[in-house]
Each structure stands twice: as structure tokens, then as C-alpha cells.
Amino acid sequence: MSPLHSRRSRTKLTVISAVSAGTLISGGLALTAFAGSPDPSTSPGAPATAGSPGAAPAELTEAERAELIRQAQAGADDTARRIGLGPDERLVVKSVVQDVDGTVHTRYERTYSGIPVLGGDLVVHTAGSGSSKGVTRARKGTVEVATLTPDVPADRAQQQAVSAAEAQGSERTTADGAPRKVIWNVSGRPVLAYETVVGGLQDDGTPNQLYVITDASTGKKLFEYQAVVTATGTGRSQYAGKVALNTARSGSRYQLKDATRGGHKVYNSKHTTGTSTGSLFIDKDNTWGDGRASGSATGQTAAVDVAYGAQKTWDFYKDTFGRLGIRNNGQAAYSRVHYGDQYQNAFWDDGCFCMTYGDGKANTHPLTELDVAAHEMTHGVTNSTAGLQYTGESGGLNEATSDIMGTGAEFYAKNRRDAGDYLIGEKIDLKGDGTPLRHMDRPSKDGASADYWSPSVGSLDVHHSSGVANHFFYLLSEGSGAKTVNGVSYDSPTADGAKVAGIGRAKALQIWYKALTTYFTSTTDYAGARTGTLMAARDLYGAGSTEYDAVRAAWSGVNVD
């Protein structure tokens, strides 16, 4: 999407994401199948089974999840040997998902001689009986490096990172801390490297969190990425009409705090920028907002929209997938509204574990539509699960995941003022002509997004390469051709003109979520996404089932074979 106003070319304005330092850049999903464990990417003709409703995620208490993590960590050395890691490699448990049938999907980060391996993440799949079902890796192979002694001093790497941040508009002249040693295992041979983080603010007031990877032997910059990625946003004040909000009483006043959904709070940044949380919204009579834009006297209306969006997104994840919050631990993030002066962006930041919303043009167009709020929260879910790196094809999948789940939350809410549709940000009027930010049935309608995969898709901005996955999801849900849903007309083509029959949005969401949480890794690309969703469809509905075949047909419809 073209910038809304004059900005440096490095900034891409759309709805946002942030990723962790431990997640790496795009590549293929690599599946290691143990004996007796079919890989649907290589065995499309495997005998059909009756499917397994037990492949849905089980609801676990925090104590049960903690015990699974404890057991996995206790057996991590044995797991490392069993899956063929080298003697200097160790596994650190990141999260555990258990299916209803007892299958456990354990997500690990990796270290080498105690040093974190960027690009070393993997997921081990274990049946309830204890037998192995395979491993999904960010990158194949063991890790070996020539030396663990750097030839380049750490301060040289730090200065390189600061210079890179200054070039991107940060006012910070020092790094947030000393560079840490890492093993760079994303491309080429693994090498010892430095990872340096520079914070501060970008030139438009957005928090800066630039990660720079420097080869510790040569001093060459291997990679850099912005972990707080700006989001575009200008539009109308977003309203869902009269809504019920869960609040908390404190003395004679009420706080905009939802104790029933992990303690989500909404704060007022009062048009400041930076890392300050701001002031918690408080009211005397528990009646919030006045239906006007964010320029109103109290500024509560934008806070109402955000609180409502957080409620519906929490409930959507809980009721649809059994997920309790972004990290699945029952704890909520928090939200900030009225960030900056005429700030035309919104963003998720994993560092503060929070969502932040600007007021848009003239401080009268806050970015608070339901699917935008759900989009931002989903970046947190992606970061706490697959960790899809926000660049290349994996970045497109990251962005599409937020669009897909934002769409799911909007349909789930069943709000008459903002009915569910396959349009992203349709009420924020990004272009000033009343058209949506993105169209899932035919992504190219926005003038920049890709309808189909091609070898050049990974070079597009992630908000445009996401079109391939968005289109796949629409085809899987609704099928190709003309259709009207909730009064909105769609007409979705396919790459080869073949007809695709949809299986319904509910099943499509289950397949995507299971693939995200159990088969995608930080480096998953479109080919890997095809493999992961086929495996998810096999787990949920059976290899050779209607749903499995629909996944394969929908990917073919967007030229991913």
C-alpha cells in the first residue's frame, strides 16, 4: 500500500505486526516424518481415514500446561538426541499444545553450546501413546560453527546497529543493551553472530525496535528487521453501536478493565508517544463514550471500540479454538488509544505486550474497527506460536493470518453495525474513496496485492504478498465464482480457471489455526503453508477427506502446488 503521506521509502503503511528476536526469516517448512508417519505433502494419495475430531486442541488448565512444559523440558536432551541434533545442541521448550486425542505438539527453541540459534526452532509431534509422529523444522540439519570466538569486537556490531537505526529515523544513539551472541542459522552455513537491538522512536513517533545481525567473524551485516512494524491507518471513527462492556469498580468509580478476560485494560496516551502506558480510563457512572470521534471531550469513544474489539476477539479465540488469550495462558494484553498527534497507524508490540491505536487524520479518525483490533491481537498469537518472521513469504503468511482471524472475529461478533465480511478494514476508508484496505476474494482489487503465488511474491511488501493466503482462505471457505455473503458480492477467480468448492468458514478457520499452532515455524513459506494445512486437514478430517481435497484444490487455485 502506498504511503498516506510523505515518508521515507523504508516505511510500509498498513495494519501492523511485531515479532520477537527469536523468530527468523522466510524459508520452507521442513517436515521430518518418522517411520509410520505419512507426510501429506509427499503422500497425497494416502488412504482416507474417518478423520479425527480429537485433533482439535484440548482445553488445559494453567497447571496442566505447566506440567506438560515441565515434562518436555525434563526430556529435552533425550528428544534432541532422538531427532538427530548434534552433541552441542540443546532444546528449550517454548510452548506445548495438546489435542483432545492426546497428541502433543511441543514447540522448541534451540541453543548451540549455550548460544541461542536463530532459525533453530522446531515442533515435535508425539501421539498420545508416546510414539513419534514427526518433526516440523524451521531449517533442516544440525548446527555446527567453525568458531565460538568472535574476531569482531561487540562495540563494532553495536555501532553498526545504531547507524542502521539512525538511517531509519530513530533518535536513539545507543543500543538498548550490549550485543548478544547468537548463531545465525537462517541461510547459508551457520555462523557466530551478534544480535543488537536499538530502541527509541521512529521518525513518525512509532516505537523503534531495530534488530541487526552482524557476522562476528567478518563484521558483515547479515540481516536487519524492524520488530515494531508500522501500520497504515486513516479512516472514520469506528462504532459498533450500543455494546455491553465488562468493567471494574474501584471505590465510587469504574475502570475500563475486563477482569473476565484476563484483565484487559484500556489506557489513554493523551496524544503522547513513547513507551509510557498512559492513564487508565476511569468513569463515574459506568456509561462510556458519547458516540463521537476521538476529538470528543473525554476521548472515551475510541476506548469503547477497542475494549469491545478486545472482548470479541478474546471470545472468538476461546469459543472457536479453546484458546485463552494471546499466549493461551489466560492473561490479556492491554491497549492504548490516542497515541501521538494525528498518528495514522496502529501496532502490536510484543515488548510491551500491548496494542496501540492512533487517532488518524485530524485526530478524528481512530483505527478501532473490530477486524483491525482482532488483526493486531492476532499478531501476538502468531508471535507466541509459529513466530512467522515479518519478511518475505513468511511475512505475508504472518499478515494473512491476522487478516484471516480478524475476519473470523468479525463474523463471530454478529454485530449489525459491522457485519462479517471478507473485506479488511472496510470502514476505515484508507484510500479516501470508500474502498476496503484488502479484498480476500480477489486481493488484486486493491491495486497491489497478489492473487496468486509466483517466484517474485516474496519480494513484495508483506501486506501485498499476504494476498495469496487471503485468497486461499476465501476459496477454501466459500469457493470460486460469484457469491453474496451478508449482502456483500464477491467473485473469486482461480489461477487456472478451475472451479473450487468451499467447505465453509468454520472448517477453514480450524485448519488454518491448527497449521499455525502445530506445523508452521518461523521460516514457513507458501509451499510450507500448503504442507502444514494439508497435515492439519488430515489430522482434523482425514487424508483423502472432502476437507483435505478442498485444501489441496484451494492452494492450486492460487498457484501453490
Side-chain angles (χ1 to χ4, degrees):
M1 189 62 61
S2 59
L4 211 55
H5 52 83
S6 179
R7 295 286 301 277
R8 298 180 182 180
S9 61
R10 55 96 183 171
T11 304
K12 303 296 183 182
L13 299 178
T14 34
V15 186
I16 180 182
S17 159
V19 291
S20 73
T23 57
L24 272 297
I25 60 178
S26 61
L29 179 152
L31 178 84
T32 301
F34 292 112
S37 300
D39 177 356
S41 68
T42 57
S43 304
T49 68
S52 175
E59 291 191 27
L60 301 175
T61 66
E62 190 59 27
E64 289 170 335
R65 182 174 292 105
E67 176 59 18
L68 284 174
I69 291 174
R70 186 197 66 76
Q71 292 177 5
Q73 192 61 64
D77 288 347
D78 180 65
T79 300
R81 288 191 296 270
R82 180 166 53 86
I83 66 176
L85 299 189
D88 295 317
E89 298 179 85
R90 296 290 184 272
L91 294 174
V92 179
V93 179
K94 180 179 179 182
S95 63
V96 174
V97 174
Q98 185 176 47
D99 296 343
V100 173
D101 65 5
T103 299
V104 175
H105 310 272
T106 307
R107 188 175 295 273
Y108 295 93
E109 302 289 357
R110 200 186 319 183
T111 64
Y112 177 83
S113 294
I115 301 174
V117 178
L118 304 186
D121 55 304
L122 53 88
V123 186
V124 175
H125 314 283
T126 307
S129 64
S131 62
S132 297
K133 297 181 72 174
V135 183
T136 307
R137 304 171 187 263
R139 195 175 184 208
K140 292 181 179 179
T142 59
V143 174
E144 293 182 10
V145 297
T147 179
L148 294 179
T149 302
D151 294 325
V152 174
D155 58 358
R156 178 177 166 186
Q158 178 171 317
Q159 185 53 52
Q160 182 184 79
V162 171
S163 297
E166 289 175 343
Q168 292 200 4
S170 175
E171 91 295 354
R172 189 67 63 86
T173 57
T174 59
D176 286 1
R180 71 165 183 164
K181 291 181 183 178
V182 296
I183 304 299
W184 178 250
N185 186 44
V186 175
S187 59
R189 60 180 180 84
V191 296
L192 181 68
Y194 290 112
E195 177 190 70
T196 312
V197 185
V198 183
L201 297 177
Q202 300 179 48
D203 56 6
D204 68 342
T206 301
N208 185 74
Q209 198 173 48
L210 185 71
Y211 286 79
V212 178
I213 311 297
T214 305
D215 191 311
S217 296
T218 66
K220 178 183 177 181
K221 183 171 69 175
L222 299 173
F223 187 64
E224 70 174 62
Y225 67 92
Q226 181 60 252
V228 176
V229 185
T230 56
T232 198
T234 189
R236 301 184 181 89
S237 174
Q238 301 303 309
Y239 308 112
K242 187 177 180 180
V243 296
L245 297 176
N246 283 335
T247 61
R249 186 163 185 168
S250 177
S252 62
R253 294 174 181 264
Y254 297 87
Q255 299 174 340
L256 202 50
K257 174 184 176 180
D258 187 355
T260 67
R261 297 177 176 86
H264 175 262
K265 300 177 183 178
V266 185
Y267 293 90
N268 189 352
S269 290
K270 299 179 181 178
H271 301 298
T272 63
T273 58
T275 59
S276 172
T277 302
S279 303
L280 182 65
F281 275 92
I282 298 175
D283 190 75
K284 294 180 179 179
D285 60 5
N286 211 21
T287 301
W288 305 81
D290 58 10
R292 294 186 292 158
S294 58
S296 60
T298 63
Q300 288 185 353
T301 299
V304 169
D305 290 332
V306 166
Y308 173 72
Q311 286 185 182
K312 290 301 180 183
T313 304
W314 179 284
D315 291 350
F316 162 71
Y317 272 103
K318 180 177 182 293
D319 293 345
T320 307
F321 309 115
R323 189 177 189 87
L324 293 177
I326 289 172
R327 290 177 176 162
N328 202 20
N329 62 359
Q331 298 179 5
Y334 68 85
S335 297
R336 301 185 295 177
V337 297
H338 306 309
Y339 180 86
D341 182 31
Q342 302 189 64
Y343 184 66
Q344 300 178 39
N345 293 301
F347 58 89
W348 163 266
D349 185 347
D350 205 62
C352 66
F353 198 60
C354 69
M355 291 79 66
T356 302
Y357 302 85
D359 286 329
K361 190 174 183 180
N363 288 326
T364 59
H365 299 73
L367 282 74
T368 53
E369 185 179 358
L370 173 60
D371 62 352
V372 174
H375 176 113
E376 300 303 341
M377 292 179 69
T378 296
H379 279 306
V381 173
T382 298
N383 192 52
S384 67
T385 56
L388 289 162
Q389 173 61 26
Y390 208 67
T391 187
E393 291 190 19
S394 60
L397 289 165
N398 186 317
E399 188 66 19
T401 297
S402 283
D403 285 350
I404 288 167
M405 295 303 171
T407 295
E410 189 177 69
F411 273 102
Y412 170 87
K414 296 180 180 178
N415 186 287
R416 291 183 298 174
R417 296 281 296 273
D418 190 7
D421 52 49
Y422 293 95
L423 308 172
I424 308 301
E426 69 278 2
K427 293 184 177 294
I428 63 176
D429 193 21
L430 175 68
K431 300 178 183 178
D433 58 4
T435 60
L437 175 62
R438 287 187 281 278
H439 307 252
M440 300 184 86
D441 66 318
R442 190 190 295 257
S444 61
K445 287 175 69 176
D446 67 12
S449 291
D451 288 337
Y452 314 116
W453 182 86
S454 71
S456 62
V457 158
S459 65
L460 296 177
D461 177 87
V462 295
H463 302 92
H464 303 151
S465 61
S466 63
V468 179
N470 281 343
H471 193 189
F472 160 80
F473 179 77
Y474 178 86
L475 288 171
L476 185 61
S477 299
E478 303 291 347
S480 57
K483 190 170 189 176
T484 300
V485 180
N486 279 352
V488 180
S489 297
Y490 306 97
D491 191 0
S492 190
T494 58
D496 58 1
K499 184 177 180 179
V500 173
I503 59 173
R505 187 175 54 259
K507 289 182 177 179
L509 284 167
Q510 292 295 337
I511 289 169
W512 192 269
Y513 178 79
K514 185 166 186 64
L516 174 75
T517 55
T518 60
Y519 292 117
F520 289 1
T521 71
S522 61
T523 64
T524 297
D525 59 9
Y526 273 113
R530 180 183 184 275
T531 298
T533 51
L534 281 170
M535 294 175 72
R538 177 202 64 184
D539 291 349
L540 291 168
Y541 307 108
S545 63
T546 298
E547 293 82 4
Y548 183 95
D549 291 342
V551 169
R552 188 161 50 189
W555 279 123
S556 294
V558 296
N559 200 35
V560 180
D561 291 306

